[in-house]
Amino acid sequence: MAENSPSYMAANYRAELVGVLGDPVAENPTGVMQEAAFRAVGLNWRYLTIQVKPDELADAIRGVRAFGMRGINLTIPHKVEVMQYLDEVAPDAQKIGAVNTVRRVGDQLVGENTDGKGFLRGLQIDAGFNPAGKRAAILGAGGAARAISTELALAGAADLIVVNRSHSRGEQMVNDVRQRTGAVISLVPWNETYVVPLEVDLLVNATSVGLCPQVDAMPDISLERARPDLLVSDVVFNPPETRLLRAARERGLPTLDGLSMLVYQGVIGFELWTGRDAPEAVMKEALERALGLA
Ligand code: NDP
């Protein structure tokens, strides 16, 4: 038999595993873009979308270790709870107080947060906006708002205004971000229409207002006094064309949609897990196809 005959080649049928744990999780589209990326660069990796009930998270993380998974994403409701089961949490994720990505380093599980970093990368690449020295108003005080505010502060934003309905939640977030990053940050109670002031350079909707099926909903804001180059961004990615972004475009303002953040948090996750550059265009296209946009 010839030496290069297939029968002499070592077979490897074992795929490397990553995935997402959440509840609910069935509609999370991240797997589509990660699997497209693995195929594009020729990696035998699989991304599993796994429903895990809150009281089964500890067992699920033991499973991640037992299966030798290379990493995992966390989504609602596990981003905070997971921290206690990890060996290490990266400093930025500690500042945010939540983990959305875990990577395996040797036999250690290390928590990271790519939500705010994904938003920032989109801001810079897709909108050409550098937050250093700029003023931003953030609508909302939940997980997305925390991650984005923390990363904006770490990137040198001059001033952050948090606008939130629930005073206690808003105050807690403002205090945490100020204490952990040294940011200049203040809270505006959201009990009437928020008129975006002239001095604000960036507006971020980090609430779920506008999310499918409430596609006609719009955050209670006014752009009447906004500066003519105010960048209006939305974390809502389903649909990416929200009523807020439409209203901004009608006034001639530049916009950034939630797909950008979703793609770049996935790009950063891919890089953390595989150590390779991510095929960004492939990932974006796969996601757009999955959401019926391409
Ligand atoms: P949370 O539940 O942690 O926070 C939701 C926030 O929205 C709260 O501050 C809440 O205010 C506010 N809110 C909800 N409804 C209203 C309303 N009608 N009017 C005013 N404020 C409202 O959610 P997350 O932060 O985890 O997620 C927020 C959004 O971000 C979701 O749509 C999610 O899909 C999206 N997201 C997008 C990502 C991306 O990659 N593009 C990544 C992560 C999240 P209050 O405190 O007063 O209740």
Side-chain angles (χ1 to χ4, degrees):
M1 209 181 283
E3 227 172 79
N4 62 354
S5 148
S7 60
Y8 282 98
M9 286 160 60
N12 180 7
Y13 300 112
R14 190 182 76 84
E16 298 292 345
L17 299 179
V18 289
V20 57
L21 311 181
D23 182 29
V25 78
E27 289 182 18
N28 188 304
T30 305
V32 173
M33 83 174 154
Q34 295 294 0
E35 294 233 319
F38 298 145
R39 274 195 303 278
V41 303
L43 286 175
N44 185 19
W45 287 43
R46 299 283 181 283
Y47 188 102
L48 308 176
T49 300
I50 309 170
Q51 182 157 354
V52 173
K53 299 266 172 246
D55 61 355
E56 285 173 336
L57 183 63
D59 285 344
I61 297 297
R62 272 194 286 277
V64 167
R65 292 182 194 274
F67 289 174
M69 291 180 77
R70 298 293 287 261
I72 203 84
N73 285 136
L74 286 308
T75 187
I76 289 172
H78 303 313
K79 290 185 185 184
V80 175
E81 284 304 306
V82 73
M83 294 171 77
Q84 63 189 300
Y85 305 121
L86 304 177
D87 302 298
E88 195 185 321
V89 174
D92 289 5
Q94 277 178 27
K95 288 194 174 82
I96 294 164
V99 161
N100 79 330
T101 302
V102 171
R103 64 192 168 105
R104 187 156 59 81
V105 181
D107 59 358
Q108 305 277 294
L109 294 183
V110 180
E112 307 269 356
N113 196 312
T114 67
D115 278 337
K117 289 186 175 58
F119 176 79
L120 234 65
R121 211 187 273 196
L123 206 55
Q124 282 155 348
I125 296 176
D126 292 345
F129 184 97
N130 178 355
K134 298 284 175 29
R135 291 199 167 86
I138 298 107
L139 309 176
R146 270 181 181 260
I148 289 170
S149 304
T150 302
E151 296 293 350
L152 284 172
L154 296 175
D159 196 347
L160 301 176
I161 301 164
V162 175
V163 184
N164 202 53
R165 259 182 343 189
S166 145
H167 191 267
S168 58
R169 200 168 182 200
E171 201 171 49
Q172 183 72 54
M173 176 184 135
V174 162
N175 288 340
D176 286 349
V177 175
R178 184 186 297 124
Q179 200 182 9
R180 294 170 189 174
T181 68
V184 176
I185 180 168
S186 55
L187 178 67
V188 171
W190 202 358
N191 37 31
E192 57 184 32
T193 303
Y194 175 64
V195 182
V196 181
L198 183 67
E199 60 271 20
V200 166
D201 303 289
L202 168 68
L203 176 72
V204 186
N205 174 36
T207 74
S208 44
V209 178
L211 183 65
C212 183
Q214 264 84 48
V215 295
D216 289 328
M218 157 132 175
D220 186 12
I221 62 146
S222 162
L223 296 170
E224 291 277 298
R225 292 200 206 134
R227 57 191 303 143
D229 59 349
L230 170 76
L231 175 61
V232 178
S233 63
D234 207 323
V235 298
V236 170
F237 63 84
N238 188 16
E241 167 85 6
T242 58
R243 212 179 127 198
L244 171 65
L245 296 190
R246 267 202 308 280
R249 272 202 295 276
E250 277 161 17
R251 300 186 73 88
L253 301 176
T255 60
L256 179 68
D257 68 29
L259 271 186
S260 166
M261 173 176 175
L262 187 63
V263 169
Y264 286 111
Q265 62 82 24
V267 161
I268 296 167
F270 180 99
E271 291 167 352
L272 286 171
W273 290 333
T274 68
R276 297 197 188 192
D277 287 342
E280 293 176 12
V282 169
M283 295 173 81
K284 183 154 191 254
E285 201 201 319
L287 198 55
E288 285 175 345
R289 236 181 300 119
L291 295 173
L293 304 166

